[in-house]
Amino acid sequence: MRWQKTLFAKVVMILLLFVIPITAIYTYSYYQSLRIMEDEVEERNLNRLSIVKNQIDSNFDSLSILLLSLSEHSSIEDLKNIDLFSEYYQFDVKRQIVDQLALLQGISSWKASFAVYAPKHSIALELNNNTIDNAEGISYDWKLKSDEEAGTDYFIKHLVEPLNSKDHDVLMEVKIPVHNVEKYLNQLKLNKYSDPFLYQMDEKIIVSASEDKEKMHEMIHQIPEIEDNEQGNVRVQYNNQEYLLTFMKLDKLGWIIVDYTLAEDVFAPLTQTRNRFYTFVSVMFLLSIIAAFLIYRNIQHPIRKMVRAIQHIKDGNYSTRIQPNQIHEFQFMVSSFNDMSQQLETLIEEVYKEKIRYQEIHLKQLQFQINPHFLYNCLFTIKNMAKLQQYEGIEAMSLHLGNYYRYMTQIDNKKVTLQEELEFVSNYLDIHVIRLQRLSYLIDVPEEMLELNVPRLIVQPLVENALEHGIQTNKEGRIVITGERIAGVNYVMIEDNGRGLEEKDLKELQQKINTPNNSQDGQGTWNVHQRLIFHFGKEAGLEFSLSPMGGLKVTMCWR
C-alpha cells in the first residue's frame, strides 16, 4: 500500500485541510471584525459626543435666551431713565431687577450669574459681588476671560440697551464659571483613559479638569486639518500608546469638544480572543499529530485485514473469517463481520422477498382498479343512451372508456409523467360526468409540474375514493385537483364538496395509512401512501384535512 493511500496520510491531510482553512477563515474574520468594531466604536463615539455637544450648545443657548428675557423686563426700561423717578420708585426698580437676577440665576444651568449696569447713572446690580466689565470688555458673543483678582476663569456674554449701540444706557451680562463646565466634562469620562475637554483653536486654549494639558495639546496637533472639519475620528500617538480621538465643533461657542480613549483598552477583548484561538489551534494541531500516529499504529493494520476479508466476500467466498484482535473495538468489529458473512445469504433472500412483496402490492393495486361493477355501469349507461339515440354521448363514453382501460392495462412502464396521470384522471371523471349528470370537476396544476415522473395510478385511487365516499347522492358533486411547488416540495391536492369527516376520523385515517394494512378498509389510500414512500422516501405520503369546499382534502407530497 502506497504511503499516499494509507490511513495515516489521509488523516494528516484531513487535519491539515481542517486546521488551515479554519485558521485562515478566523484570521480573515478577525480583521473584518476589527474593522467593523472600529467603525462601530467611531460611530458610537461620534453619537455620544454629538449628544454632549448638543447639551453644551443647549445650555449656552438657554443662557443667551435668559439674558435676552432680562433685557425685555419692564424694570430695565425704567432703569434707563431712573433719575426721573422718586427715590422710593428708584428703590423699587432696583429691587425688581435684583429679584429678576436671582430668579434667572436659580433657573440657569451651571450656576450662571447675571448682572445689570447703568453706566450713565453709575448703578451696578448683581448678586455675587462680581466686577462688571467696562465698555472696552463687552463681549457680544461667548468668550473665555480670566479674573486675576479672584483667580478664576469664566465664559461671559453681554447684551446692551439699546441693542448694538456704543453709547448704551444699560449693560447686562451673564457669567459661567469654567470650573462648572469642567465639572460637567469630568462626569462624561468613560474610563480612566478617557478625558473630554474643550479646545479653542485661535488662542490654543484648553478647558478641562485634567492637569495633563500638555498631553491634550500634543494630541490636538496630530489632528489633520482640524479647522476645516466639523467632526471626525482620528488615531493619535502619545508616549508610544495609540489613542482613539473624537472631536466635534460646538455651534454656540465655536470651540471644539474632544474626547479620547486608549485603543488597546477598546480592542483588548478581541485581541485576547484572537490569542486564545491561536493557542488553541496550536495545541489541537499537536494533539492531532499524536492522535494520527496512534491511529497509524493501532488501527491501520487491523483495517488492512478487514479490507482483505471484505474483498474475499466480494469475490463470493462467504466462508472468510477474521482472527480475533486484542484490541477491544476491533474484536467487536471482527465478531460482527463473522456474523455478517453468515447472515449475508439470508439477507439477500429477504431482499428478493421484499421486491416480490412490492410487486404483489402493485398487482393487487391494479386489480383494485379494474372494477367489474364500474365496467358494468358504463355499459349499462351506453345501452340507455343507445335507446335514447344519444349517439354523441355513446361516442364520448366509448372514447373515454377505451382510453381508461388502455392506460390501466399498460403495466410495463411503472412510471409516467404527472400530465399523463392527470389525463387519465380526466378520462375517468368524464365517464362519471356522463353517467351521473350532476358532477363537475376542475384540474389546475402548474405546467412546471406536468413533466414530473410519478408512479402509475397514483392520483386516480384518491379521485375514486372521493367519488365513492365523499360525493353525496342528493346534491351537485364537485371535485377540484390543484398543484403547487414550494421550496422543492411538490403538492397535489384532491378536494370534494361531500360530507367530509370528523376530526377524530381524520386522525384515525391518517394513523391507518401509516401502519400495515390487514383489511380492505382504506386499501386504496393506504396503497397510494405506501407507494409514495417507496418511490420518494419517508418524507413523501398523504395528508388528510377538511376542505374549504365542505368535504375532504387529500394532499400528496413528495420531493
Side-chain angles (χ1 to χ4, degrees):
M1 186 179 294
R2 297 176 58 186
W3 186 85
Q4 291 84 352
K5 296 182 180 180
T6 61
L7 179 64
F8 176 75
K10 293 178 180 178
V11 169
V12 172
M13 290 299 297
I14 291 173
L15 292 174
L16 290 176
L17 292 175
F18 179 77
V19 173
I20 292 176
I22 289 181
T23 304
I25 292 172
Y26 180 84
T27 302
Y28 173 79
S29 175
Y30 167 76
Y31 286 106
Q32 287 293 103
S33 301
L34 185 62
R35 182 183 60 81
I36 294 173
M37 188 174 181
E38 288 177 355
D39 294 340
E40 291 180 350
V41 168
E42 290 177 358
E43 183 178 359
R44 182 201 65 185
N45 289 344
L46 281 175
N47 291 337
R48 174 177 172 273
L49 208 60
S50 176
I51 295 173
V52 175
K53 173 244 184 188
N54 291 335
Q55 290 177 344
I56 294 176
D57 283 337
S58 176
N59 287 336
F60 277 99
D61 194 44
S62 64
L63 291 173
S64 298
I65 293 173
L66 291 177
L67 188 63
L68 183 61
S69 69
L70 177 62
S71 68
E72 296 175 354
H73 197 270
S74 59
S75 58
I76 297 297
E77 190 66 27
D78 293 337
L79 185 63
K80 296 178 183 179
N81 303 301
I82 196 170
D83 56 348
L84 301 178
F85 303 109
S86 64
E87 291 183 1
Y88 173 78
Y89 191 81
Q90 291 180 11
F91 174 79
D92 186 67
V93 169
K94 293 179 183 179
R95 182 188 59 78
Q96 290 182 29
I97 293 175
V98 171
D99 290 343
Q100 184 66 17
L101 295 179
L103 175 63
L104 295 179
Q105 182 171 333
I107 64 176
S108 66
S109 56
W110 290 340
K111 297 181 180 180
S113 61
F114 294 81
V116 176
Y117 176 56
K120 293 181 179 181
H121 307 292
S122 300
I123 297 175
L125 301 173
E126 43 81 35
L127 299 177
N128 301 325
N129 298 322
N130 293 325
T131 302
I132 300 178
D133 287 297
N134 55 26
E136 289 76 16
I138 293 178
S139 303
Y140 293 103
D141 293 319
W142 288 103
K143 287 187 179 180
L144 181 67
K145 291 189 176 183
S146 298
D147 188 345
E148 296 180 356
E149 295 181 1
T152 60
D153 297 335
Y154 52 86
F155 287 100
I156 189 170
K157 184 177 180 179
H158 292 105
L159 189 64
V160 297
E161 279 289 338
L163 293 175
N164 301 324
S165 173
K166 293 183 179 180
D167 187 17
H168 50 268
D169 297 326
V170 178
L171 172 67
M172 293 159 285
E173 76 172 19
V174 58
K175 289 182 180 180
I176 306 173
V178 168
H179 65 82
N180 290 344
V181 180
E182 292 175 347
K183 183 179 179 181
Y184 172 74
L185 293 174
N186 196 48
Q187 294 173 353
L188 301 176
K189 290 184 178 181
L190 291 174
N191 50 53
K192 64 180 180 180
Y193 301 107
S194 175
D195 197 359
F197 62 91
L198 297 177
Y199 176 72
Q200 212 281 338
M201 294 180 290
D202 297 332
E203 300 179 8
K204 312 299 181 185
I205 301 173
I206 287 179
V207 172
S208 173
S210 174
E211 298 180 357
D212 197 3
K213 292 185 172 55
E214 179 182 353
K215 174 181 178 181
M216 298 176 181
H217 276 290
E218 185 171 338
M219 287 184 174
I220 286 292
H221 293 156
Q222 296 183 45
I223 302 179
E225 301 177 354
I226 186 172
E227 297 181 0
D228 299 330
N229 296 303
E230 294 291 329
Q231 63 182 32
N233 289 280
V234 293
R235 290 193 175 213
V236 297
Q237 297 285 336
Y238 183 78
N239 286 344
N240 297 323
Q241 288 184 314
E242 188 177 49
Y243 291 83
L244 297 177
L245 187 144
T246 306
F247 65 93
M248 189 170 291
K249 191 173 182 180
L250 297 173
D251 297 331
K252 302 302 177 182
L253 284 180
W255 289 42
I256 292 177
I257 182 170
V258 185
D259 193 11
Y260 62 88
T261 186
L262 191 64
E264 180 182 353
D265 185 64
V266 175
F267 302 112
L270 198 60
T271 304
Q272 292 175 0
T273 303
R274 179 202 61 187
N275 295 337
R276 290 171 184 169
F277 175 79
Y278 287 152
T279 302
F280 172 78
V281 169
S282 301
V283 173
M284 289 301 298
F285 185 78
L286 180 61
L287 293 177
S288 299
I289 295 297
I290 296 173
F293 178 73
L294 295 177
I295 290 173
Y296 175 78
R297 288 187 56 188
N298 299 314
I299 297 179
Q300 184 173 351
H301 181 65
I303 287 181
R304 284 181 178 178
K305 293 172 65 176
M306 184 75 70
V307 169
R308 284 196 294 266
I310 292 173
Q311 187 63 43
H312 291 321
I313 293 292
K314 181 180 178 182
D315 295 337
N317 185 5
Y318 300 110
S319 62
T320 301
R321 300 291 184 271
I322 302 176
Q323 294 298 324
N325 193 289
Q326 293 181 353
I327 302 175
H328 178 73
E329 291 80 5
F330 278 99
Q331 200 168 26
F332 173 77
M333 292 177 63
V334 167
S335 176
S336 299
F337 177 85
N338 293 336
D339 293 339
M340 179 199 68
S341 62
Q342 292 178 356
Q343 298 174 7
L344 188 57
E345 186 174 1
T346 303
L347 293 175
I348 292 174
E349 290 178 358
E350 290 181 358
V351 169
Y352 282 125
K353 290 178 180 179
E354 182 67 19
K355 288 184 177 180
I356 293 172
R357 188 177 75 86
Y358 169 73
Q359 293 175 355
E360 291 175 351
I361 291 174
H362 184 65
L363 292 175
K364 191 173 183 181
Q365 190 270 343
L366 291 177
Q367 292 171 358
F368 270 99
Q369 307 309 316
I370 305 176
N371 190 335
H373 295 287
F374 172 71
L375 178 59
Y376 171 77
N377 291 334
C378 291
L379 294 175
F380 184 76
T381 301
I382 292 174
K383 184 191 76 169
N384 290 336
M385 287 191 295
K387 286 182 178 181
L388 299 174
Q389 296 182 356
Q390 297 177 354
Y391 301 117
E392 293 182 0
I394 294 172
E395 182 182 359
M397 175 66 84
S398 301
L399 179 61
H400 292 315
L401 194 61
N403 290 336
Y404 173 82
Y405 279 105
R406 182 184 298 111
Y407 188 87
M408 288 285 294
T409 54
Q410 292 176 355
I411 61 174
D412 293 337
N413 187 11
K414 295 182 179 179
K415 282 196 174 184
V416 295
T417 63
L418 183 58
Q419 182 175 4
E420 293 173 330
E421 180 71 11
L422 293 177
E423 288 175 354
F424 168 68
V425 171
S426 179
N427 275 317
Y428 179 73
L429 287 171
D430 285 334
I431 292 172
H432 283 279
V433 170
I434 295 172
R435 286 184 56 240
L436 301 177
Q437 299 294 325
R438 54 179 178 78
L439 175 68
S440 62
Y441 70 91
L442 170 67
I443 299 178
D444 183 16
V445 177
E447 292 186 5
E448 61 182 13
M449 295 179 61
L450 295 179
E451 296 302 320
L452 296 174
N453 289 326
V454 295
R456 291 174 62 86
L457 303 173
I458 201 69
V459 179
Q460 188 270 343
L462 304 178
V463 176
E464 181 178 353
N465 188 69
L467 287 171
E468 292 183 0
H469 304 290
I471 301 299
Q472 298 180 5
T473 58
N474 58 355
K475 71 173 186 177
E476 181 74 19
R478 177 72 171 171
I479 292 180
V480 176
I481 302 174
T482 56
E484 61 180 351
R485 194 172 194 180
I486 303 174
V489 181
N490 304 301
Y491 298 92
V492 172
M493 288 72 71
I494 298 96
E495 302 178 67
D496 62 70
N497 64 343
R499 58 181 179 271
L501 293 174
E502 297 292 337
E503 189 68 28
K504 62 177 182 178
D505 296 329
L506 285 175
K507 293 181 180 179
E508 183 179 351
L509 182 57
Q510 190 73 49
Q511 185 177 5
K512 280 184 178 180
I513 65 172
N514 287 295
T515 56
N517 190 19
N518 297 321
S519 67
Q520 297 301 318
D521 296 334
Q523 181 70 35
T525 54
W526 178 87
N527 203 318
V528 170
H529 183 73
Q530 296 299 324
R531 290 172 66 204
L532 285 171
I533 293 175
F534 181 84
H535 285 281
F536 301 108
K538 293 183 178 180
E539 295 181 358
L542 299 180
E543 294 181 2
F544 300 96
S545 60
L546 296 178
S547 171
M549 297 169 57
L552 183 65
K553 178 180 179 180
V554 183
T555 302
M556 295 172 47
C557 63
W558 74 93
R559 286 186 178 272

